[in-house]
Amino acid sequence: MNDLKACIVQRDRTVLLECGHPGFEAAREKLNRFAELIKSPATFHTYRITPLSLWNAAALGYTSNEIADDLSSIAKWGVPAGLQQEIGELVSRYGKLKLQRYGDNGEALVLESTDRMILDEVLAVPAVASLQWTRLSPLEAKLHAAARGRLKQELMRHGYPVLDLAGYHEGQSLRLEWNSGIEGQEFALRSYQEDAVEAFEGVTGSGGSGVLVLPCGAGKTVIGLAALERQQCECLILTSNTTSVEQWIQELTNKTTLKSSEVGQYTGQKKEVKPVTVATYQILTHRRSKNDEFEHMKLFNERNWGLIIYDEVHLLPAPVFRATADIQATRRLGLTATLVREDGCEQDVFSLIGPKRYEMAWKELEADGWIAKVDCCEIRIPMDSDLREKYIYAEGKEKFRLAAENPAKTRIVMDLLNKHQSAGILVIGQYLDQLQAIAEAIGAPLISGKMPQQQRTALYASFKRGETPVLVVSKVANFAVDLPDASVAIEISGSFGSRQEEAQRLGRLLRPKSGDNQAYFYTLVSESSKEEEFAVRRQMFLIEQGYEYTIHSVKEARSGT
DNA sequence: AAACACGGAA
DNA sequence: TCAAATCCGTGTTT
């Protein structure tokens, strides 16, 4: 019995998961439903059950009983009594406050509670009390519909997520269908894409608001198109960069019956507002000068949008949250590979875009063959005595850079290139000097932000054909949507523990491979240095997704593999 | 018009 | 914590 229990569950809502344990996989899967990974050293992973992780679970339909059962099925020494209770209390908060429409004109809302004490308590919170309330009964209070977003945000901050049942306005209708493929080859959604869209639409099929979490390469754009096809309404699509804007437009016009005259681009170059409009986040947040207004936020109200799609929700900038608070009656679909934000605004995603409606673990897609298998390996490389000495006397931030630019890495890259004779190898790094040096040493072209777009495109194409087997790339790789997929990635340096960046880089390898469908991801780190710490942080998200990094230490500064 | 260069922003 | 990249607007050149 006990040999399947891989966890120690602690009173402070942290859970320690033993890595080598036979019950590891099963426990990880369960923990992912309602806990967040916060530390992942080699022997024990630490998870924390946070209010937000519980509410996201609750929104997916998990009950506190199911969570309690899951926990006790993995807890070696049982679940502390107080904790069981606390979880029950937290989970039950989701749904204790409900927001409903009041009257028929949509101008007012009513906040309802099953518990008078809770309603009294939240109405006493200053930021909530300052809204204009009319107490209708001990269990109901009325307010103006315009405050919907603000209210949800404030209540969430106070620890009470609201179940928003106030509904949506329909928006201008727009007819569109899937384009029928060649010779009756109907375009078909993959089964999980179908599931994701249905999760967004909800049981009533009336659509709603919320976030779908899917790995890179899972076809998030197609899911967005599907949501639009179901809703049949005018739609605003917000995304992170112009290449992505172009991609959306291409998919919209290729895969659906929408004509190019119905699809507009709203960016720095072109400001079209069409029945379907695709814009960058950046244009929305652009200001003439620092204290000016956001002049392009008016895009939210320029047409009667029935649906707003937020691509890459983890990058959504703060001012866009503020604008989103004002349009809570519009259906909202968030798409992302990770709910984790480096700025900690996960709560605002929950209250203003919506709760998580669907999540597919990366490993699950891998098992079904939709994405490649990836072997992740961290290689620890010693610093030679000169470098070590410099390192010891350096300041905090210099330390990181010295370790990251460890010249011994060049040798290891060469060894790895020898090992993988195949084409499709990316060397990815953070510092231009370092990348330059390595590019010269291995005789491969370096692509950085300085390189004109045309040259980049030419190199990407040559890489795709296999004529250029190895590319050295800087941070351009983080944004380049047109960079072809690779089968081996060697990360020689990375930014200060950005989990997203690591995920993005791994994402480059995920397109299914012919043959054994296997890809390789190496990350090179200087041994016993700050770089090691940050590598651990970077890897966390992927570990949560079920990837394991094997650690390989290099003995001498120059050694074979 | 389109291509390019620059500075500010986040 | 940094460095490097993007995007936007503006102004200049072809």
Side-chain angles (χ1 to χ4, degrees), chain A residues 281-497:
Chain A
Y281 287 126
Q282 229 154 344
I283 191 133
L284 292 178
T285 56
H286 186 268
R287 286 185 286 191
R288 253 158 229 281
S289 69
K290 215 168 181 171
N291 291 319
D292 271 350
E293 48 174 60
F294 300 103
E295 52 186 319
H296 296 293
M297 286 292 181
K298 64 181 189 315
L299 186 56
F300 278 107
N301 300 309
E302 288 224 347
R303 291 186 85 103
N304 184 10
W305 312 116
L307 174 68
I308 301 181
I309 298 177
Y310 298 82
D311 196 11
E312 311 210 56
V313 157
H314 59 286
L315 299 173
L316 198 150
V320 177
F321 277 124
R322 263 171 261 143
T324 301
D326 298 334
I327 48 122
Q328 290 294 303
T330 307
R331 293 192 171 86
R332 303 171 305 279
L333 170 62
L335 299 170
T336 186
T338 159
L339 278 178
V340 172
R341 293 179 59 102
E342 302 316 331
D343 67 358
C345 287
E346 289 87 349
Q347 280 200 344
D348 291 330
V349 174
F350 186 104
S351 43
L352 295 179
I353 312 294
K356 175 168 76 181
R357 302 293 182 191
Y358 185 86
E359 172 159 28
M360 186 161 213
W362 295 31
K363 278 280 164 173
E364 217 173 306
L365 280 188
E366 178 187 300
D368 294 347
W370 294 113
I371 56 178
K373 287 176 279 184
V374 187
D375 188 27
C376 301
C377 182
E378 178 183 314
I379 302 180
R380 294 188 178 161
I381 302 157
M383 293 187 271
D384 69 25
S385 49
D386 277 5
L387 183 61
R388 173 63 66 184
E389 192 174 339
K390 265 199 228 158
Y391 180 83
I392 287 166
Y393 293 110
E395 290 294 317
K397 57 182 180 182
E398 278 170 68
K399 271 192 158 64
F400 183 78
R401 179 148 193 172
L402 281 169
E405 293 193 301
N406 185 351
K409 288 182 177 179
T410 309
R411 178 76 215 173
I412 307 298
V413 171
M414 293 173 98
D415 291 342
L416 289 172
L417 293 183
N418 270 330
K419 187 176 158 189
H420 296 282
Q421 295 286 339
S422 61
I425 304 180
L426 288 176
V427 178
I428 313 174
Q430 158 97 153
Y431 303 107
L432 293 178
D433 296 346
Q434 179 191 30
L435 287 164
Q436 184 78 57
I438 290 215
E440 270 164 39
I442 64 177
L446 164 64
I447 302 182
S448 79
K450 278 178 217 143
M451 183 180 273
Q453 205 65 51
Q454 282 197 334
Q455 270 183 65
R456 292 190 216 179
T457 315
L459 277 171
Y460 291 152
S462 160
F463 184 75
K464 190 170 192 173
R465 288 193 301 268
E467 286 160 22
T468 307
V470 186
L471 277 185
V472 181
V473 292
S474 71
K475 278 187 115 157
V476 281
N478 289 7
F479 306 93
V481 188
D482 46 346
L483 172 58
D485 57 308
S487 55
V488 180
I490 306 170
E491 182 182 48
I492 55 169
S493 51
S495 59
F496 285 74

Side-chain angles (χ1 to χ4, degrees), chain A residues 537-552:
Chain A
R537 281 207 46 195
R538 283 208 300 269
Q539 294 164 5
M540 208 136 68
F541 171 64
L542 292 173
I543 289 173
E544 202 167 24
Q545 295 297 331
Y547 287 93
E548 281 172 61
Y549 285 76
T550 55
I551 295 177
H552 179 91

